[in-house]
């Protein structure tokens, strides 16, 4: 079953061809809009939608060429149905449904976060079920229990900013350009994490929820004080970045370990853009005793948004019999969509 996956929920157009029986991922293409949005300091939704319109079809043509396939070879078309920017989702959905109609093929709408959390299965060293997933992206921070494809239980989530959002906002306060996460991580390399004492929000909250907006506020306060004193040097900026990264990764690691213990599971999967963060990867790898528990990271290219995870999720959902891809003319997008709602309620209640 050859699946064409289309991702267009935010600022990346991702397209991929995936066929489990033919070795998995056959080809993928990505266009990042980062440069276009940089001038505005963040994603401009209308510009994002227009760019997806311009990029999607050429990327589809490119992956077909790369995989030496034609449109007629495609069995199923998968697109991100949500959550994300409504206009951007409509572009991917419109193209997917238009193509599906023209080709007489079924189409399937995929939850963006399900794509992220299944993305470690794209690697050769894939984890088996069940596992705990730490989903850390620009819009979400959640700990989920994953028992099977389509069986997701929310264990905890952020009550305010997402981890990626906290990285991005803090980076902005430190004068770094969008998207702030990778830039802040680079700046932090030259810093001393002990130079500033920052809060560890909700570290001892007794549950698996997170809060990151206070951390950002405390950086804002430090930046203001240092600015007033004329002491915001390159080194103090690096120190602040490093202290921030230290605080946020400590909370993420501690809560992920608590989730593993609580669920009595030995596999942790990290997914989403912040999963690319080196410090988070190092800390998690150190914290999980080898042989006792294992941590799985998607390859760096699958951490941030991409079409491969959408094609993979569609393939797995169809294979597991959870969903039948349907020929459909009309479609909706779901800019807000709860991942746990994908799990059907158990017959007992
Ligand atoms: O999953 P993703 O590509 O898009 C969403 O679905 O949100 O995640 C993007 C987020 C951004 O906030 C970006 O700053 C963050 O991931 N990010 C990082 C790193 N690379 C990307 N944050 C920290 N360190 C990184 N190396
Ligand atoms: Zn994402």
């Amino acid at each position: 079953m050859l699946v064409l996956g289309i991702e267009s929920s935010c600022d990346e157009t991702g397209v991929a061809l995936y066929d489990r029986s033919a070795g998995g991922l056959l080809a993928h293409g990505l266009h990042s809009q980062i440069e276009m949005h940089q001038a505005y300091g963040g994603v401009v939704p209308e510009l994002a939608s227009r760019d997806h319109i311009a990029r999607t079809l050429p990327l589809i043509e490119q992956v077909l060429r790369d995989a030496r396939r034609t449109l007629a070879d495609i069995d199923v078309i998968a697109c991100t149905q949500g959550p994300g920017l409504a206009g951007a989702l409509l572009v991917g959905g419109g193209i997917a449904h238009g193509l599906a109609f023209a080709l007489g093929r079924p189409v399937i709408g995929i939850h963006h976060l399900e794509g992220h959390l299944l993305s470690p299965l794209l690697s050769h060293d894939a984890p088996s079920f069940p596992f705990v997933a730490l989903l850390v992206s620009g819009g979400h921070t959640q700990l989920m229990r994953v028992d099977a494809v389509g069986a997701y239980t929310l264990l905890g989530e952020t009550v305010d900013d997402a981890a990626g959002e906290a990285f991005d906002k803090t980076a902005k306060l430190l004068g770094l350009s969008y998207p702030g996460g990778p830039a802040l991580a680079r700046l932090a390399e030259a810093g001393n994490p002990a130079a500033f004492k920052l809060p560890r929000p909700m570290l001892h909250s007794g549950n698996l929820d997170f809060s990151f907006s206070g951390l950002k506020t405390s950086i804002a306060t430090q930046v203001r004080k240092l600015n007033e004193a004329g002491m915001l040097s390159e080194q103090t900026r690096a120190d602040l970045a490093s202290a921030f990264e230290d605080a946020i990764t400590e909370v993420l690691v501690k809560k992920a370990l608590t989730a593993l213990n609580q669920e009595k599971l030995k596999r942790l999967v990290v997914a989403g853009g912040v999963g690319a963060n080196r410090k988070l990867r190092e800390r998690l790898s150190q914290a999980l005793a080898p042989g006792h528990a294992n941590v799985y990271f998607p390859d760096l290219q699958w951490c941030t948004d991409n079409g491969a995870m959408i094609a993979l999720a569609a393939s797995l959902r169809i294979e597991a019999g959870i969903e039948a891809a349907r020929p459909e003319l009309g479609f909706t997008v779901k800019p807000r969509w709860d991942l746990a709602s994908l799990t059907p309620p158990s017959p007992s209640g």
Side-chain angles (χ1 to χ4, degrees), residues 156-241:
E157 65 183 334
T158 182
V159 298
D160 42 52
D161 290 353
E165 192 179 358
F167 265 96
D168 293 342
K169 288 178 175 170
T170 301
K172 207 167 188 174
L173 289 170
L174 295 174
L176 300 168
S177 64
Y178 154 88
L184 187 141
R186 269 194 304 278
L187 179 63
E189 280 173 25
N192 169 14
F196 291 94
K197 227 177 145 37
L198 296 179
R200 266 66 175 152
M202 294 183 78
L203 188 64
H204 303 293
S205 62
N207 62 19
L208 294 171
D209 288 339
F210 305 88
S211 163
F212 296 120
S213 73
L215 193 51
K216 171 202 66 198
T217 308
S218 98
I219 297 275
T221 310
Q222 295 283 1
V223 168
R224 187 171 38 78
K225 279 190 194 154
L226 288 164
N227 253 331
E228 282 167 6
M231 284 168 59
L232 191 62
S233 65
E234 189 58 26
Q235 187 57 46
T236 48
R237 283 171 66 244
D239 290 343
L240 275 172

Side-chain angles (χ1 to χ4, degrees), residues 309-326:
M309 65 184 194
I310 301 305
L312 169 80
S315 192
L316 293 175
R317 287 183 76 80
I318 295 167
E319 201 172 280
I322 300 167
E323 193 136 8
R326 289 174 298 270

Side-chain angles (χ1 to χ4, degrees), residues 112 116 137-139 164-165 167-168 179-182 185 272-274 276-277 303-305:
H112 179 79
H116 273 305
S137 72
E165 192 179 358
F167 265 96
D168 293 342
V274 182
N277 184 269
C303 277
T304 44
D305 294 348

Side-chain angles (χ1 to χ4, degrees), residues 47-209:
L47 293 183
S49 314
R50 287 168 190 238
D51 201 61
H52 286 304
I53 294 175
R55 306 289 176 181
T56 309
L57 286 176
L59 278 174
I60 292 173
E61 284 166 358
Q62 180 199 311
V63 295
L64 285 169
R65 265 195 313 274
D66 291 351
R68 295 174 200 280
R69 305 292 157 107
T70 66
L71 280 175
D73 295 325
I74 296 171
D75 296 306
V76 173
I77 299 174
C79 61
T80 304
Q81 193 175 6
L85 301 171
L89 291 166
L90 280 168
V91 175
I95 291 173
H97 285 77
L99 262 182
F101 177 64
L103 298 171
R105 297 290 190 274
V107 62
I108 177 169
I110 292 296
H111 194 296
H112 179 79
L113 295 182
E114 181 174 37
H116 273 305
L117 84 87
L118 297 176
S119 61
L121 304 185
L122 284 165
S123 80
H124 295 299
D125 169 33
S128 42
F129 299 111
F131 56 76
V132 168
L134 173 64
L135 265 178
V136 270
S137 72
H140 294 83
T141 296
Q142 299 184 329
L143 277 161
M144 309 278 312
R145 180 188 169 102
V146 179
D147 283 292
V149 175
Y152 313 122
T153 312
L154 182 66
L155 304 174
E157 65 183 334
T158 182
V159 298
D160 42 52
D161 290 353
E165 192 179 358
F167 265 96
D168 293 342
K169 288 178 175 170
T170 301
K172 207 167 188 174
L173 289 170
L174 295 174
L176 300 168
S177 64
Y178 154 88
L184 187 141
R186 269 194 304 278
L187 179 63
E189 280 173 25
N192 169 14
F196 291 94
K197 227 177 145 37
L198 296 179
R200 266 66 175 152
M202 294 183 78
L203 188 64
H204 303 293
S205 62
N207 62 19
L208 294 171
D209 288 339

